[in-house]
Amino acid sequence: KFDDYIIDLTKQKLVDRRVNEIKHKYGLIDVLINNAGVTINSKNFYDEKILKKTLSVNLIAAYNLSNKVCNIMSKRKKGSIINITSLAAERGFIGNPAYQVSKAGLKQLTKALACDWGQKNIRINNVCPGYIKTPMTMRSFKNPKLKKNRDERMILNRWGKPRDLVGPCIFLASDSSSYITGSDIFVDGGWLAKGL
């Protein structure tokens, strides 16, 4: 049952136990997708508590889980880790520095891990979403001014859907991407490519 696998990724003992259970049950781990993320809305967005909470979920949990899983993958010298970053790792935005720092850190963690684990044939890459319509982005989607601002940046003239991330993740998880590591795949409707 899927719900049995839901845990708080900031609790390292729980993470270690769950990873060990999966390894014991299946004998191996082929793919890890670090997709957990939070953004915390607050008037005082430079509050250190917000920074610590955001980093604990968006970066530190991925750091710890990746290291745990890489050690398992290294036994058979094969594996793929996919980190879900964000446009916020590439461009500055107003009012959410903790989220931007966490995603920029995750982007660079990917490249560091790719260097450290490549000799064991473990590939680590980023999928970098633009604005995907999810509960986390609904505040922007429902605010006419913010939505207009985002809409004007998208070449494809629409917000992404969660399913738009599926294909890139399947590609990076498969042997079709066996010579790709430390890379970024942008799924942003053309946001970064658009100029004036």
Side-chain angles (χ1 to χ4, degrees), residues 155-169:
I155 292 174
L156 293 182
N157 199 31
R158 71 172 176 88
W159 286 47
K161 299 173 183 174
R163 69 170 179 254
D164 290 319
L165 300 172
V166 173
C169 287

Side-chain angles (χ1 to χ4, degrees), residues 92-163:
F93 293 90
I94 293 171
N96 203 343
Y99 183 78
Q100 293 175 69
V101 167
S102 70
K103 290 300 186 175
L106 184 59
K107 175 185 174 177
Q108 289 308 116
L109 174 65
T110 296
K111 296 175 190 315
L113 290 173
C115 291
D116 290 339
W117 290 98
Q119 61 185 338
K120 296 286 189 179
N121 197 34
I122 299 169
R123 299 178 297 102
I124 300 100
N125 293 287
N126 291 321
V127 169
C128 316
Y131 275 86
I132 307 293
K133 192 175 177 185
T134 67
M136 200 164 83
T137 60
M138 286 312 289
R139 188 175 71 92
S140 293
F141 190 80
K142 290 181 177 179
N143 181 311
K145 183 179 177 183
L146 292 176
K147 184 176 184 302
K148 182 176 185 295
N149 178 271
R150 273 95 172 121
D151 289 350
E152 288 174 350
R153 295 291 307 145
M154 300 172 194
I155 292 174
L156 293 182
N157 199 31
R158 71 172 176 88
W159 286 47
K161 299 173 183 174
R163 69 170 179 254

Side-chain angles (χ1 to χ4, degrees), residues 21-59:
E21 287 171 359
I22 292 168
K23 182 185 173 217
H24 179 74
K25 183 173 182 179
Y26 298 102
L28 51 84
I29 296 176
D30 292 312
V31 178
L32 167 65
I33 300 177
N34 284 310
N35 185 47
V38 296
T39 184
I40 301 169
N41 296 316
S42 171
K43 290 179 181 176
N44 181 16
F45 46 77
Y46 280 95
D47 184 337
E48 188 177 346
K49 289 179 183 174
I50 291 175
L51 176 64
K52 287 180 176 177
K53 174 67 175 175
T54 305
L55 287 175
S56 71
V57 176
N58 295 4
L59 179 58

